[in-house]
Amino acid sequence: MPPDPHGGDLFAGERWVEPLGPGAALLGGFALDRADALIAQIHALSAVSPFRHMETRSGRMSAALTNCGAMGWVSDRSGYRYTPHDPLTGAPWPALPPLFARLAAEAAAALDFADFRPAACLVNRYAPGARLGLHQDRDEGDRIAPIVSVSLGLPATFLWGGLERGARVRRIPVRHGDVVVWGGPSRMVFHGVAPLRHGHHPATGGFRYNLTFRKPG
Ligand code: SIN
Ligand code: FE2
């Protein structure tokens, strides 16, 4: 059972696990103890490679995106790909902060994915109304290694579907410090984020941030 979402610091340090399927779970409160440091790193890296709204074949993404790590995910009218350079600055993406790498490996290990070393970290910034439609993460060669997804700031509803687009979709509340991991048999599950509701969070103001760690393969 997740603790009372309004409990604030009363539950700092509290962690719980909600299984979502084989190789997949919500790790409640898993990153709470280092959330402030993660947010400080997001500000630092987005000062180098700024948030931007990428174009896709079907339009402009409502969440703003940047990356860190050896490879970054980019999209434009011609499609998606991973690149070692930020097309906006021409420079390599900011390095993966050691704090990020450690968190990703620890969260993956909690689901028995040993030695997870992601080369890519997508950093999403959601303002109220921003959303992410149901999709599979299918731009990676490695389709067994997990995705590790960290929620910071305003709460959101994570949409957790099945291996087929038409499968029933569960609505999973994700809050500041929660981590979702999906790999192995669940690696290709359709997922998304419902439109973010207005709010104010003491750590991030009017935004939700999400870190998504991946192994492009
Ligand atoms: C994603 O699917 O890439 C991001 C999920 C999220 O923002 O929670
Ligand atoms: Fe995704």
Side-chain angles (χ1 to χ4, degrees), residues 55-58 61 73-76 78-82 139:
E55 298 286 340
T56 69
R57 285 205 178 104
S58 48
M61 294 179 67
W73 184 90
V74 298
S75 174
D76 57 27
S78 65
Y80 317 128
R81 63 201 168 276
Y82 281 96
D139 307 324

Side-chain angles (χ1 to χ4, degrees), residues 132 135 137 182 191 214:
L132 196 59
H135 66 280
D137 294 345
W182 63 100
H191 60 279
R214 304 179 183 183

Side-chain angles (χ1 to χ4, degrees), residues 52-66 73-77 79-80 122-126 129-133 135 214:
R52 78 291 307 262
H53 292 272
M54 294 200 188
E55 298 286 340
T56 69
R57 285 205 178 104
S58 48
R60 190 170 169 266
M61 294 179 67
S62 60
L65 178 72
T66 186
W73 184 90
V74 298
S75 174
D76 57 27
R77 288 277 164 77
Y80 317 128
L122 285 70
V123 186
N124 280 111
R125 186 185 68 194
Y126 297 76
R131 59 188 288 276
L132 196 59
H135 66 280
R214 304 179 183 183

Side-chain angles (χ1 to χ4, degrees), residues 129-150:
R131 59 188 288 276
L132 196 59
L134 267 193
H135 66 280
Q136 293 169 303
D137 294 345
R138 45 183 322 132
D139 307 324
E140 300 76 29
D142 188 330
R143 299 215 171 157
I144 299 296
I147 304 286
V148 172
S149 164
V150 181

Side-chain angles (χ1 to χ4, degrees), residues 8-131:
D9 285 346
L10 207 58
F11 293 100
E14 187 106 7
R15 288 178 168 190
W16 68 96
V17 178
E18 185 177 335
L20 297 176
L26 167 71
L27 306 176
F30 194 87
L32 206 50
D33 58 353
R34 50 204 121 163
D36 289 344
L38 294 169
I39 292 163
Q41 293 283 5
I42 292 172
H43 292 318
L45 73 91
S46 63
V48 177
S49 272
F51 284 104
R52 78 291 307 262
H53 292 272
M54 294 200 188
E55 298 286 340
T56 69
R57 285 205 178 104
S58 48
R60 190 170 169 266
M61 294 179 67
S62 60
L65 178 72
T66 186
N67 291 277
C68 59
M71 301 295 277
W73 184 90
V74 298
S75 174
D76 57 27
R77 288 277 164 77
S78 65
Y80 317 128
R81 63 201 168 276
Y82 281 96
T83 63
H85 291 85
D86 178 350
L88 206 59
T89 65
W93 297 103
L96 195 70
L99 172 71
F100 284 25
R102 220 162 33 239
L103 170 62
E106 285 176 25
L111 275 98
D112 291 333
F113 295 107
D115 216 15
F116 179 53
R117 274 177 238 189
C121 174
L122 285 70
V123 186
N124 280 111
R125 186 185 68 194
Y126 297 76
R131 59 188 288 276

